[in-house]
Amino acid sequence: MINSSFYFLLVFIFASCSSGKFTDEKKVIELQPTYLEENSQINTLIKGVWKSIGNGYYLEAKEDSILLYSYTSSFCYKEKNDYLEGLLNSQSKFALRGDTLEIYLTDFGEATTRLQTKKDFVRVPKLPNNCVNFKEMRSFNLSKLYDLYIETLEENYAFAERRNLNWDLIQEQYQSRVASNSGMDSLFAVLGDIATLTKDQHTKVISPLGKTLQYRVTRSAEVVKRAFEKQLETEDLNKYFNLFFEANYKNISDSLLNGNGKKALNKKIEWGQLNERVGYINIHSFSGLLGKEFTRKQQIDSLNHRMREIIVSFKDKDAIIVDVSFNFGGYDAVALTIAGYFTDIPTFSHKSQVYKEDGFYDEDIVIVHPSDSISFTKPVYVLMTDISRSAAEGFAMMMGALPNVKLVGTNTLGTLSGMLGKSIGDFYTTYSHQRLLNDKNQYYEAQGVEPDIRMSVFPENNVFNGHKIAVKNIVDMIQ
């Protein structure tokens, strides 16, 4: 039996560039596995039923497995989420702090508590009496599934006020379409219209065949669209968008890095020198660094190996430009690992709050911990745009908290929350349920993370070369 006692380590003293030094107690605890591989059983300490604080989940920890349920005020049902259940029944770690079960979904070894936010649960006597299995939930009639969707939004979506959404009015507005039509296709269309109404790209409805309904408009896409309408060479808008990305990626490799750059980790990271004084790192994504057969920890280990190589190669540079202009997001653990190479002291980035019916719950704090091997603490400039979204925006917050970093470009997209997943009938749905607060209790959902130095990146009259020019402008500014 693994020792169940836990201990506390000392307080970290860390700095914020905007508010000076302050103290936070991010305690390190001894973690235990939820699943005991040696005897193929769930850890006896957590057997029973647990209710999440926010997120709308129950966990039923049985003898040999953990089952996931979703709930709202009126509904409770077995959830179909192979990803979450897979983590809970393989690599998740936990700590018991009083009456609270703290779960870290992914095992990153010694960095487990540093690279992710925990999920909190409290023990309850049993599942609610109205809990049904997944098949029974799928058999609900259209009106009942519609009510479940609206109730799930109302109790889990964190930004109704900021995005001017009134769930009662929306429910009434779309109710007739559900009542007057029959079939799952009509329900899918209605739920998709409501998801699009949020103007939130993390709020989606996905069909069993993978078709996704969501809001897709971005500021940069509108700029590219206007540029398309003014030219005559390309007749298809989608082809023009492909040319836009291809031209900008080619500019990075062939023009900015003069064909001398290096690519690694499934080409998700590209780096090289812009001149003898300035290094350049383009991070295309915070996910997919290795094949799917590799664990998250193996991906982080490989990332650390490559980042050490990059920072060593830049040790004599006066400054580095870190570019996330075309980064669609990924995993916070990747973002935190990279950010750690640009500080030599633990630094507060933001507080994670999860939405629940009566307000917000302080889920965890996020600290940028310095790399164990090497750090670059000379000036760093992070180039970002509204294509930068999700984990790329969290990365901007992490980097922006460091005193040697300046954010340059335009506001990010404004979808910083994680995506809370819920099954609604045959559909899988996601919701923005989390807000990230900086040291001034500000959050950037909808508006996006703001740059310290505002700079045009995709001007309408030069969308194929504006990014390249922006990078060169930063170099001129450094020099």
Side-chain angles (χ1 to χ4, degrees):
M1 180 64 64
I2 297 174
N3 190 342
S4 63
S5 64
F6 56 88
Y7 59 90
F8 303 101
L9 297 182
L10 258 178
V11 178
F12 286 121
I13 306 261
F14 49 90
S16 165
C17 59
S18 58
S19 62
K21 292 184 178 180
F22 56 93
T23 301
D24 179 84
E25 296 186 2
K26 172 84 171 177
K27 298 187 174 88
V28 179
I29 54 178
E30 183 180 0
L31 299 177
Q32 299 193 57
T34 54
Y35 181 76
L36 302 176
E37 191 170 350
E38 61 272 16
N39 55 11
S40 302
Q41 288 186 337
I42 298 302
N43 196 312
T44 56
L45 291 174
I46 62 170
K47 285 182 182 177
V49 179
W50 301 85
K51 182 179 182 180
S52 64
I53 304 178
N55 299 323
Y57 287 131
Y58 283 106
L59 298 183
E60 185 181 23
K62 303 169 77 70
E63 185 77 20
D64 59 352
S65 63
I66 297 176
L67 304 180
L68 183 70
Y69 292 78
S70 282
Y71 75 89
T72 66
S73 298
S74 307
F75 299 91
C76 178
Y77 58 93
K78 175 70 179 66
E79 183 60 72
K80 181 175 174 57
N81 192 319
D82 296 338
Y83 173 70
L84 279 182
E85 281 194 348
L87 292 177
L88 290 166
N89 287 284
S90 61
Q91 61 174 291
S92 293
K93 303 288 186 178
F94 76 91
L96 287 169
R97 196 189 300 273
D99 296 329
T100 303
L101 171 66
E102 302 176 345
I103 290 186
Y104 296 86
L105 288 169
T106 304
D107 182 8
F108 291 112
E110 293 181 356
T112 293
T113 62
R114 296 183 176 189
L115 295 182
Q116 62 194 308
T117 54
K118 61 182 173 62
K119 309 302 175 187
D120 289 346
F121 296 77
V122 293
R123 191 184 289 276
V124 294
K126 62 176 185 176
L127 290 169
N129 293 329
N130 67 336
C131 261
V132 299
N133 62 41
F134 181 71
K135 183 178 180 180
E136 289 175 297
M137 184 274 292
R138 288 180 60 221
S139 68
F140 289 168
N141 62 41
L142 298 189
S143 293
K144 197 169 183 179
L145 288 173
Y146 175 73
D147 290 344
L148 171 60
Y149 181 67
I150 293 293
E151 201 164 279
T152 302
L153 274 166
E154 186 172 5
E155 296 181 14
N156 293 284
Y157 186 75
F159 305 106
E161 182 176 354
R162 173 155 285 196
R163 294 189 182 271
N164 299 312
L165 301 167
N166 184 311
W167 300 124
D168 290 337
L169 291 178
I170 291 171
Q171 181 173 24
E172 182 179 352
Q173 177 184 353
Y174 288 90
Q175 182 74 57
S176 60
R177 286 179 55 187
V178 175
S180 62
N181 291 288
S182 60
M184 284 296 173
D185 287 346
S186 64
L187 179 64
F188 182 57
V190 170
L191 302 192
D193 285 350
I194 295 172
T196 302
L197 192 65
T198 65
K199 296 184 177 181
D200 179 343
Q201 298 202 24
H202 273 177
T203 299
K204 310 174 185 181
V205 182
I206 306 169
S207 76
L209 296 178
K211 182 180 180 180
T212 300
L213 301 180
Q214 65 177 114
Y215 184 75
R216 297 182 184 276
V217 177
T218 66
R219 298 181 298 275
S220 59
E222 292 299 293
V223 170
V224 175
K225 183 179 178 181
R226 290 195 296 270
F228 164 77
E229 293 167 348
K230 293 178 180 178
Q231 56 84 51
L232 300 174
E233 291 81 5
T234 305
E235 296 182 356
D236 181 75
L237 177 59
N238 287 330
K239 183 177 179 181
Y240 193 79
F241 272 114
N242 290 335
L243 291 173
F244 163 75
F245 283 104
E246 289 171 5
N248 280 286
Y249 292 152
K250 185 175 176 62
N251 283 342
I252 292 170
S253 300
D254 297 349
S255 180
L256 292 174
L257 298 179
N258 295 310
N260 296 318
K262 297 180 179 180
K263 295 181 181 180
L265 299 173
N266 274 341
K267 300 181 180 180
K268 296 300 189 288
I269 295 183
E270 184 173 9
W271 77 97
Q273 68 171 30
L274 298 171
N275 60 36
E276 291 184 356
R277 294 180 56 193
V278 182
Y280 175 84
I281 307 171
N282 188 288
I283 308 170
H284 291 279
S285 175
F286 291 115
S287 64
L289 306 184
L290 299 174
K292 293 182 178 180
E293 67 272 21
F294 294 94
T295 66
R296 294 266 189 94
K297 184 180 184 302
Q298 289 172 321
Q299 296 198 42
I300 294 299
D301 291 342
S302 296
L303 176 62
N304 276 313
H305 173 77
R306 193 61 67 180
M307 283 301 300
R308 284 193 291 269
E309 175 188 346
I310 295 171
I311 299 303
V312 167
S313 72
F314 289 158
K315 68 181 187 305
D316 296 326
K317 301 298 182 191
D318 294 335
I320 295 176
I321 297 173
V322 180
D323 193 345
V324 291
S325 298
F326 300 98
N327 192 307
F328 287 83
Y331 301 124
D332 291 339
V334 175
L336 273 166
T337 299
I338 295 174
Y341 283 87
F342 301 100
T343 183
D344 57 4
I345 56 173
T347 303
F348 174 82
S349 171
H350 56 270
K351 176 168 60 177
S352 172
Q353 293 184 324
V354 63
Y355 184 70
K356 56 192 186 74
E357 300 94 319
D358 55 351
F360 285 89
Y361 171 74
D362 290 347
E363 183 178 53
D364 211 343
I365 62 171
V366 174
I367 295 172
V368 180
H369 291 272
S371 156
D372 293 336
S373 58
I374 188 172
S375 295
F376 186 94
T377 56
K378 288 180 282 187
V380 177
Y381 297 82
V382 176
L383 181 59
M384 61 191 196
T385 68
D386 73 303
I387 294 177
S388 313
R389 64 193 67 182
S390 192
E393 302 182 83
F395 178 74
M397 288 190 73
M398 297 166 196
M399 294 294 284
L402 306 180
N404 56 314
V405 174
K406 293 292 184 184
L407 305 180
V408 186
T410 62
N411 285 37
T412 61
L413 183 60
T415 54
L416 292 88
S417 169
M419 289 188 287
L420 180 68
K422 299 285 181 177
S423 299
I424 305 291
D426 289 328
F427 312 126
Y428 189 72
T429 61
T430 64
Y431 312 81
S432 292
H433 65 119
Q434 170 196 41
R435 69 181 186 185
L436 311 181
L437 278 70
N438 66 13
D439 61 317
K440 298 183 179 66
N441 281 328
Q442 299 169 327
Y443 64 100
Y444 298 104
E445 202 74 22
Q447 71 188 54
V449 179
E450 298 178 354
D452 300 308
I453 303 170
R454 193 163 292 278
M455 182 180 293
S456 174
V457 183
F458 304 124
E460 190 173 321
N461 62 350
N462 198 2
V463 294
F464 285 8
N465 293 295
H467 171 266
K468 175 178 68 175
I469 293 170
V471 174
K472 292 182 176 181
N473 286 340
I474 299 173
V475 173
D476 291 341
M477 183 172 59
I478 294 169
Q479 297 184 142

